[in-house]
Amino acid sequence: MVPMSMDRQVALDSCLQEQLRLKSQVRLLEHQVKVQQIKIQNLLQEKEIQLMDRGDENTVINLEEKRDYADCSEIYNDGHKQSAFYKLKPLQGINSFFAYCDMSEGGGWTVFQRRSDGTQDFNRNWTDYKQGFGDFTSTRGEYWIGNENLHYLTLQGDYILRIDLEDFEGQRRFAQYKSFRVGDEQTSYRMNCGHYVGTAGDSLTSGFSPEVKWWANHCGMMFSTRDRDNDNYEGNCAEEDKGGWWFNRCHSANLNGLYYKGPYTAKTDDGIVWYTWHGWWYSLKSVIMKIRPASFEPNLV
C-alpha cells in the first residue's frame, strides 16, 4: 500500500474541514429560516389581534375580482393573510358567496359555521340551511354558510374539518377530523368524516364508546331540519333539539342547538352540545367549524 503524500493529506484535511464548515452554515441557515417563519407567524397573529381589537373594521375584503378563489387556502397562498370575509367560488359551484377566512393556525381555513353570542336563530327550515343564513360582515358574526356551498367546497378534494370550542369559563378545546365531505341535496347533504385527533373528545363519530355508535355516530348521517326528517329516530331530532344537524338517534354533538349560557335545563338536550367535553346539559359559549385541504402547505412569503 503506497503511503499518502503530505500534499494529498493536507488537501484531504482541508476538504474535510470545508465540508464541516459548509454543513455548519447549512444548519445555521436552516435555523435562521425557522426563526424567520416563527417571526412571520407571530406578526400575523399580532395583526389578527389588533384587527379584532378594532372591532369590525375591514372585515369584508374586496379583492376586486382578480380571480376566482375556490376556498380560503387559495386566498392565503395568494398573499392575503388577514382574517376576514372574502368572496369564494368553488370549482364546480354555480354561484359565488362570502365566507370568513381564518388565517390563524397556519392559515387558509374556510369557516362554514360560527356560534358566538346567540344573536342568530339556528332553528330554521331546510331551505335556510340549504342556502345559508346569518351575519356575513361581522368578525364574530354567527352564520351557516349553506349546505349547497358546503357540498361544492368539499367536492373539490380531501378536506380536514376542525372544530374550535370554548366554554363560559374561558377554556378552549378542539376536535379535528380527516376526510370531511358533504354530499349534494339528492343525498340530503350526507356527511362523512374520518380519523379524529384533538382535545375535546370524539363526539362526532362516537369514538368515546364503540357500543353507542348505533345512535351517537353522526358520520354517514343525512342532514335534518324541523321540516325535513332524515334521522334514525322515531321522532324528529331537529324539531326536538331545535336546530338543523346530521342527527342520528339523536346526538352526542349538536352544535346548531339553542344558545344557553353554560348549564341549562330543558325538555330535551337542545343546547350547543359537545358530549365528550361538557355532557348533554352544558351549552357552549362559542363554536367555529372550519375546513382546509389536507394537502395545504402555507406560503409564508
Side-chain angles (χ1 to χ4, degrees):
M1 185 173 179
V2 180
M4 185 179 295
S5 68
M6 183 65 68
D7 289 344
R8 288 181 64 190
Q9 183 65 51
V10 170
L12 180 60
D13 290 343
S14 177
C15 183
L16 290 172
Q17 289 177 3
E18 180 66 11
Q19 282 183 332
L20 292 172
R21 187 185 69 82
L22 290 173
K23 285 181 180 179
S24 177
Q25 277 192 330
V26 168
R27 285 195 295 269
L28 178 62
L29 288 171
E30 287 175 344
H31 175 71
Q32 290 175 341
V33 168
K34 288 180 180 179
V35 169
Q36 290 301 317
Q37 288 176 337
I38 292 170
K39 285 183 178 179
I40 290 170
Q41 286 297 102
N42 289 338
L43 287 170
L44 290 172
Q45 289 174 2
E46 288 175 9
K47 184 178 180 181
E48 174 74 9
I49 292 170
Q50 290 171 0
L51 289 167
M52 290 180 69
D53 289 343
R54 279 156 46 189
D56 292 338
E57 182 181 353
N58 296 327
T59 56
V60 180
I61 294 181
N62 182 3
L63 298 180
E64 300 177 350
E65 309 297 334
K66 292 180 179 179
R67 53 169 284 196
D68 287 334
Y69 292 96
D71 62 19
C72 292
S73 69
E74 289 192 354
I75 289 175
Y76 185 91
N77 276 341
D78 204 28
H80 308 286
K81 305 298 196 286
Q82 179 180 334
S83 293
F85 284 96
Y86 295 85
K87 185 180 287 188
L88 304 179
K89 189 178 185 301
L91 297 176
Q92 298 184 47
I94 301 170
N95 301 310
S96 59
F97 55 88
F98 280 94
Y100 191 81
C101 293
D102 183 353
M103 301 311 190
S104 66
E105 294 163 344
W109 295 99
T110 302
V111 175
F112 69 85
Q113 184 256 31
R114 181 164 52 200
R115 309 296 302 276
S116 60
D117 55 15
T119 54
Q120 294 294 322
D121 179 14
F122 276 70
N123 187 15
R124 294 177 178 251
N125 62 25
W126 183 264
T127 300
D128 285 349
Y129 270 99
K130 173 183 177 178
Q131 297 175 348
F133 57 85
D135 180 355
F136 292 90
T137 59
S138 303
T139 301
R140 297 175 180 85
E142 297 191 325
Y143 74 83
W144 181 263
I145 204 171
N147 288 334
E148 196 72 5
N149 293 331
L150 188 53
H151 161 63
Y152 282 117
L153 280 167
T154 60
L155 185 64
Q156 299 177 119
D158 183 15
Y159 277 81
I160 293 170
L161 165 67
R162 182 181 171 101
I163 304 173
D164 293 327
L165 308 166
E166 183 181 1
D167 64 17
F168 282 90
E169 289 68 53
Q171 300 298 311
R172 296 181 180 181
R173 303 284 177 89
F174 79 95
Q176 191 163 294
Y177 296 88
K178 291 183 177 180
S179 305
F180 176 74
R181 177 169 289 196
V182 173
D184 60 16
E185 190 171 20
Q186 289 185 333
T187 72
S188 295
Y189 301 113
R190 187 185 300 275
M191 183 270 290
N192 284 287
C193 59
H195 179 70
Y196 158 83
V197 296
T199 58
D202 180 11
S203 289
L204 202 61
T205 69
S206 68
F208 60 93
S209 177
E211 291 79 13
V212 302
K213 278 187 176 292
W214 66 276
W215 66 264
N217 185 8
H218 298 275
C219 184
M221 293 307 303
M222 295 182 285
F223 201 84
S224 290
T225 56
R226 64 193 186 198
D227 60 336
R228 192 76 67 89
D229 184 5
N230 293 311
D231 58 48
N232 289 333
Y233 176 55
E234 54 269 20
N236 184 334
C237 294
E239 186 175 20
E240 289 190 10
D241 293 329
K242 307 299 191 298
W245 190 247
W246 297 281
F247 290 107
N248 192 333
R249 291 179 57 90
C250 277
H251 71 81
S252 55
N254 181 27
L255 300 183
N256 288 337
L258 295 180
Y259 195 90
Y260 299 103
K261 294 185 177 180
Y264 69 99
T265 56
K267 186 177 180 180
T268 64
D269 46 350
D270 56 8
I272 302 174
V273 170
W274 192 263
Y275 172 75
T276 50
W277 187 17
H278 276 297
W280 282 298
W281 303 104
Y282 185 102
S283 187
L284 296 169
K285 179 182 180 180
S286 70
V287 177
I288 294 175
M289 302 181 72
K290 55 193 180 183
I291 56 174
R292 186 172 71 182
S295 60
F296 175 70
E297 294 184 2
N299 177 7
L300 298 175
V301 178

